[in-house]
Amino acid sequence: MLRFMLFASTALTVAATGIAPSSAQVPETAAAPADGAEPADDEVRLGEVVVTARRREERLSEVPTAASVIGGDALAERGGARTSGELLADQPSVRFNNLNSSVTSELSIRASSTARATNGDPSVGLYRNASYIGGGGIGGRNFALIDFLDIGRVEILRGTQGALYGRNAVGGAVNVVSAQPEFETSGYVQAQYGVENENLRGEGVFNTALSDTLAVRFSGFAVGQESGFFYNPVNDVYFDREEGQGLRAQLRYRSGPLDLLFLAETQKLETPAIHYQIEIPAGTPGFPGGYIQDRFNYPWNTPPSAEQDVDSYQIVAKYDLGGAQLNATTLYRERVSAYDLDADAINAQERADAIAAGNILAVVPLDVNSAAFVRDTTTSFNQDIHLAGEAIDGRLDWLAGIDLLLLESDYSVENARTPTTPNPSTGSISPVNLEYNSYAVYGSLGFDLTERLNLTGELRFTQDDRSLRSRLFDRGTGAPLGGAARVIDASIDPSNLSYNATAAYKLTSDILTYAKLGTSYRAGGFNTNLGDPRQPRPIDAAFDDETSESYEIGLKGTLGSRSYFAIAAYMTDQQDLIAQTDNGCALTNPACPVAATSFLTNAGDAESRGIEGEISSLFDVAGGKLYTGFSLSYQEGEVVSGRFEGLDLAQVPEWLGSATFDYRRPIGDDAEAFANLVYTAQTGGVQELSATTVPLDDFGLLNLRLGARFGKVSVTAFARNLTDELYFVARAPTINRYNQPRLTGVELRYDF
C-alpha cells in the first residue's frame, strides 16, 4: 500500500510539474447555463459544465473525484450511441463487456467484476436522470436503447461511489441525463442508413414552449434492419437484426422557485440476439476431425431472438428554498427482457454431416433439440429526496437525503430437450420470483478550512431485504422436478455503512489536487439458473455481498482557457469478491454436452490498482476549430485469498486508450465542413478467473465521419470499424464471440 501511494504521488507530482502553468491564470469560463438550457459543448469538454456528481450542482473541474462528462453535442458529432460501448468508448478505465446482445452485456469500471450471463446485479451504478435503473433478472447491467435517445449529457463517476450512490457502485456510476424541455422552439429530424446490414434508423425531436411557465419536448426513434453480419441459415434470420421504436414525452413547469419535470417513455424492440461460433479442434475426445463453424454463419435449429421492452414514468422536482435546494426524483420503470438460444448450436443435418465426415463420433451425446428460453419482467420503483445547501458564509456545504428502491423480478428459464423412452420429458421450466427492497439514508458535509483546503465527509446507511422463490417443473406435464434441492425459498437482509472522506487542495485557482478514501458494496443475491442436473460443478443458490475499500489521489484542472486535464491513481481492496464462473458443461464434456451455465460465487478477497489520465483541448486550426481528446488508463488486479488465490481478475484489460479529433471549418455563408475521428484500443487481460484461461484479444477500432452542413441541413458519411478489424469479444471452451465488422453508411439531418 505504502509503495503504491508513493508511486502514485510521484506520478501525479511529475505530471503537475510538467503541465501546470508557470503562473496562476483564471480561465475565461462561461457562466452556468440558464435553468433548463443545455450547456455549451465547449464548457462540457473543458470541465466548466455544472454537474451533479455529488448530488449537488458544482463545476466538473472543482469536483474532487475522478469524473467525466460527455455532452449531447459531442455525442451527436460522433454519430450518437446505440450501445453502452459506443457511449463510453473514450472514457478512461471504462470497459464494455460485449456479449453481442444488449440484454446480457454490461459495463465495468476500474477492474470491477462482471456478472456475464447470470442474473447478478451490476458492479457499476446505472442511472437515468439520477434514478437507479439497474438490477433484475436480465437486462439490468446495461442501458436500454431508449436511454441513448436525445441525451443532454452523460456523467461518469469512476471509483467507489457507495456513500452517495449506494448499491452496486463499486466501480463507479454512470448517469445519463436526458435533454430537458427548453423554453424555445427547436428540434431536428434525422435518418441514418447502414449499407452492409441495411439498417435504417430515424430519429426526431420537437421542443416548444406552451407559455412562460410550460414547455414540452417530444422525441422518438424507429429502426428496421433487413440484413446483418451474423446469419442463421436454418431459419433464414440474422442474429444481429434490430427492429422497433421508442417514444418519449416530457412536460416541464417552471415558476419562481419550483422546477418540475414529468417524463413518460416507451420502447418496443427486437434487439440483436446472443450468438457464437463453435470451435472444437481436431483430436478433442469425441471430435477426431474437429468441428469448427463458419465465423459468421451458425446452423442453429432454434430460431435466435432477443427482445427488450421498456416503459418508464419519472417526476423530477427542484425547489429553491433560498438557503437550500430540495430535489425529489421519482421513477417507475418496467423492463421486459427475453432471449432464446440453441444450447448445442447445431441442427440434426449438420450433426449427421459432421459424423459422416468423421469429425464427430456418433456416440457423442449431442441433443440437437436442446435449447434455452429466458424471460424476465422487472419492475422497479426508485424514490430519492435530498436537500442541499450552504452555511457559514458559503464555507460549509451540506446534504441530507433518503433513498428507496423497490424491485420485483419475475424470471423464468426454460430448457428444452429431445424426449426419449427412458426419459419422455421435453425439458424443464424454472419460474423465479425475486424481490429486492432497499432503504437508505445518506448525507455529506464539506468545509473550507482555508480558501484552498476543503475537507468533505460522506456517509450512507443502507438496509437491503432480498427474497427468492424458485421451483422446477416438467416443461410438458408441469410435474415438480429435482426434489427438495429445487424447492428454494430464501431470503437475506444485509445492511451496509459506506463512507467517503476527501481532502481537496487548490494548487492554483485552476488546478485541484485531492486524496480520497471510500467504501462501497455490491449486493449479493441468488443464482436463479441452477444449471443442468449432469453438471460437474454444482451451483450455489445464494452468494453474499461484496464490499470494497478504495484509496485514490488525483489532480485535475484547466490550463489557460482551452485545455482541461485529469489524472488519478487508485487502489481497491475487495472482500468476498462476486465473480462469475461456470458449471463445467461443454459440448466436449460427454457427461454434460451442452453449453455451460454461468453462475456467481464469492471468490475470496481481491486487490486492484491503476492509474488513468485524460486531457481535452480546443485549437484554432486553418480557419476552423479543432477539438482533441485523449485518455489512457492502466489497471490490474488479482485474487489474494480463497480458492482462486493468485489468479488475475477476469475481464480486466491492462491498457485502455482513446483519441478523439473533431474539426469544423466554415466553407461559406452559414455552411461548414466537419470531420470526426474516434480511435479506441485495448490490450492485455484474461477472459476467465481460471488458471487455464485464454487472454483477452487486443484490438484498436477506428470510427470516422465526414460531412458538411448547409444552413439547417447536414449530410454525413460514416464508417465504423474503418479498418475492418476482427477480434474475439468473448471466448469460452468451444465458444467464440466476434465483434461487428466494418459498417459504412450515410446520415441526413435537418435542424430547426
Side-chain angles (χ1 to χ4, degrees):
M1 173 64 66
L2 178 60
R3 284 185 298 174
F4 166 76
M5 296 303 286
L6 287 173
F7 157 72
S9 299
T10 301
L12 295 182
T13 302
V14 170
T17 304
I19 65 178
S22 58
S23 61
Q25 179 183 0
V26 179
E28 298 173 2
T29 58
D35 287 346
E38 294 302 323
D41 201 48
D42 291 357
E43 299 171 29
V44 176
R45 287 169 163 167
L46 301 182
E48 295 308 315
V49 64
V50 174
V51 297
T52 55
R54 295 194 293 175
R55 299 275 191 183
R56 60 177 181 266
E57 294 182 349
E58 53 192 335
R59 292 191 182 280
L60 175 64
S61 58
E62 298 175 353
V63 177
T65 192
S68 303
V69 173
I70 305 170
D73 289 344
L75 190 60
E77 287 166 3
R78 67 188 197 211
R82 286 148 194 81
T83 68
S84 297
E86 292 178 356
L87 180 71
L88 304 172
D90 60 347
Q91 299 300 302
S93 301
V94 178
R95 180 172 185 264
F96 179 57
N97 187 31
N98 183 2
L99 295 180
N100 296 136
S101 177
S102 64
V103 298
T104 54
S105 299
E106 63 188 306
L107 288 168
S108 173
I109 300 178
R110 287 190 173 180
S112 63
S113 53
T114 54
R116 292 170 293 153
T118 69
N119 69 313
D121 279 8
S123 63
V124 173
L126 304 179
Y127 290 82
R128 265 286 307 283
N129 301 328
S131 291
Y132 184 75
I133 62 170
I138 55 174
R141 298 189 301 274
N142 190 17
F143 290 104
L145 186 58
I146 197 165
D147 297 319
F148 306 133
L149 172 67
D150 193 21
I151 290 176
R153 70 178 186 275
V154 184
E155 300 177 355
I156 304 100
L157 310 178
R158 301 185 296 276
T160 53
Q161 305 295 331
L164 293 184
Y165 286 86
R167 68 198 73 80
N168 306 327
V170 297
V174 179
N175 181 27
V176 176
V177 181
S178 302
Q180 295 185 1
E182 301 172 3
F183 289 84
E184 62 179 34
T185 298
S186 62
Y188 66 86
V189 289
Q190 174 180 293
Q192 188 179 92
Y193 180 73
V195 175
E196 288 80 5
N197 61 358
E198 299 181 64
N199 181 290
L200 179 61
R201 176 187 172 91
E203 184 176 308
V205 171
F206 175 71
N207 185 105
T208 192
L210 301 179
S211 70
D212 292 340
T213 58
L214 282 177
V216 294
R217 190 177 184 95
F218 301 97
S219 50
F221 75 85
V223 61
Q225 184 172 312
E226 298 297 326
S227 184
F229 295 99
F230 300 93
Y231 185 56
N232 174 224
V234 178
N235 297 286
D236 189 27
V237 297
Y238 288 91
F239 289 87
D240 52 329
R241 67 190 184 277
E242 187 176 40
E243 185 170 354
Q245 61 279 326
L247 296 170
R248 179 184 304 147
Q250 297 181 82
L251 172 66
R252 185 180 184 190
Y253 173 79
R254 186 183 69 188
S255 178
L258 178 62
D259 195 342
L260 191 59
L261 176 71
F262 298 91
L263 179 150
E265 64 186 11
T266 184
Q267 169 185 292
K268 307 298 180 186
L269 185 69
E270 183 178 4
T271 191
I274 298 171
H275 51 276
Y276 47 79
Q277 172 205 37
I278 299 299
E279 181 180 17
I280 303 173
T284 301
F287 297 81
Y291 177 68
I292 301 176
Q293 294 176 348
D294 183 84
R295 286 181 173 181
F296 301 106
N297 290 271
Y298 310 143
W300 294 14
N301 61 312
T302 301
S305 71
E307 300 174 2
Q308 191 160 65
D309 300 338
V310 177
D311 292 293
S312 297
Y313 307 92
Q314 188 176 42
I315 302 173
V316 180
K318 300 178 182 179
Y319 194 88
D320 189 348
L321 298 172
Q325 179 169 291
L326 178 66
N327 294 267
T329 307
T330 306
L331 174 72
Y332 174 82
R333 183 169 169 123
E334 181 178 271
R335 183 185 66 243
V336 179
S337 304
Y339 67 84
D340 302 340
L341 61 83
D342 196 320
D344 56 278
I346 199 172
N347 63 74
Q349 186 61 53
E350 180 83 4
R351 179 177 182 270
D353 291 345
I355 291 173
N359 295 327
I360 302 177
L361 297 182
V363 295
V364 174
L366 292 176
D367 183 351
V368 296
N369 292 314
S370 60
F373 311 99
V374 181
R375 302 288 183 271
D376 171 59
T377 299
T378 293
T379 57
S380 61
F381 174 82
N382 183 215
Q383 177 67 65
D384 178 87
I385 302 174
H386 64 268
L387 192 64
E390 296 180 348
I392 314 178
D393 297 325
R395 295 180 63 187
L396 177 69
D397 292 316
W398 59 270
L399 179 142
I402 59 174
D403 180 76
L404 169 67
L405 174 67
L406 305 177
L407 183 148
E408 183 173 6
S409 176
D410 289 311
Y411 182 89
S412 70
V413 179
E414 183 177 354
N415 291 304
R417 63 179 297 275
T418 300
T420 61
T421 301
N423 184 359
S425 173
T426 61
S428 64
I429 183 169
S430 177
V432 177
N433 177 260
L434 170 68
E435 293 189 8
Y436 177 25
N437 301 327
S438 181
Y439 317 88
V441 293
Y442 63 91
S444 70
L445 287 174
F447 187 70
D448 293 332
L449 293 179
T450 70
E451 290 185 356
R452 292 179 178 268
L453 178 63
N454 175 274
L455 299 180
T456 298
E458 301 165 344
L459 192 67
R460 181 185 183 104
F461 175 78
T462 307
Q463 176 65 52
D464 285 349
D465 294 317
R466 278 183 180 259
S467 63
L468 177 83
R469 185 180 188 276
S470 176
R471 300 291 188 268
L472 184 68
F473 301 102
D474 184 89
R475 182 169 172 249
T477 67
L481 296 177
R486 295 307 296 262
V487 178
I488 303 173
D489 292 291
S491 64
I492 55 176
D493 58 350
S495 60
N496 176 266
L497 185 67
S498 294
Y499 64 86
N500 280 335
T502 305
Y505 184 79
K506 289 186 177 181
L507 295 177
T508 73
S509 59
D510 306 325
I511 297 178
L512 179 75
T513 185
Y514 66 89
K516 174 184 171 184
L517 168 63
T519 64
S520 191
Y521 82 103
R522 182 180 176 196
F526 310 95
N527 290 304
T528 55
N529 185 354
L530 298 183
D532 191 290
R534 301 167 294 177
Q535 62 198 13
R537 289 193 288 271
I539 298 176
D540 296 327
F543 51 93
D544 295 328
D545 282 4
E546 170 191 318
T547 59
S548 61
E549 185 176 59
S550 185
Y551 310 86
E552 177 182 334
I553 58 176
L555 186 73
K556 64 194 304 184
T558 56
L559 305 177
S561 62
R562 289 203 157 195
S563 289
Y564 169 77
F565 75 94
I567 306 170
Y570 65 90
M571 186 171 189
T572 302
D573 296 323
Q574 297 158 280
Q575 295 79 44
D576 293 323
L577 172 74
I578 297 175
Q580 182 265 354
T581 185
D582 65 64
N583 64 346
C585 293
L587 294 185
T588 54
N589 185 344
C592 188
V594 296
T597 298
S598 298
F599 67 95
L600 296 178
T601 186
N602 294 112
D605 297 339
E607 292 180 356
S608 59
R609 64 201 67 84
I611 188 166
E612 63 194 21
E614 59 179 323
I615 185 168
S616 55
S617 303
L618 281 173
F619 302 95
D620 294 324
V621 177
K625 180 183 290 187
L626 173 66
Y627 163 77
T628 63
F630 301 93
S631 74
L632 183 66
S633 58
Y634 172 83
Q635 50 273 314
E636 62 177 8
E638 66 279 329
V639 181
V640 297
S641 69
R643 53 182 167 149
F644 297 101
E645 182 177 356
L647 296 182
D648 290 339
L649 295 181
Q651 299 292 318
V652 179
E654 289 183 351
W655 292 96
L656 292 166
S658 72
T660 301
F661 301 88
D662 188 81
Y663 182 68
R664 293 179 174 268
R665 185 184 187 282
I667 54 175
D669 293 338
D670 198 19
E672 66 176 2
F674 53 83
N676 181 274
L677 182 150
V678 179
Y679 177 79
T680 56
Q682 168 187 303
T683 64
V686 297
Q687 286 277 350
E688 304 293 342
L689 192 65
S690 167
T692 58
T693 185
V694 296
L696 292 174
D697 255 19
D698 299 342
F699 65 82
L701 292 180
L702 180 63
N703 293 344
L704 178 65
R705 290 169 57 86
L706 299 172
R709 179 185 60 81
F710 303 96
K712 297 180 179 181
V713 177
S714 300
V715 181
T716 307
F718 66 85
R720 298 177 189 152
N721 189 7
L722 179 64
T723 59
D724 201 23
E725 181 159 354
L726 188 67
Y727 60 91
F728 298 113
V729 296
R731 299 181 72 184
T734 75
I735 290 175
N736 298 324
R737 288 186 171 95
Y738 295 96
N739 68 304
Q740 179 178 287
R742 178 173 52 229
L743 175 67
T744 60
V746 294
E747 178 183 290
L748 182 65
R749 174 171 171 140
Y750 177 78
D751 290 273
F752 57 88

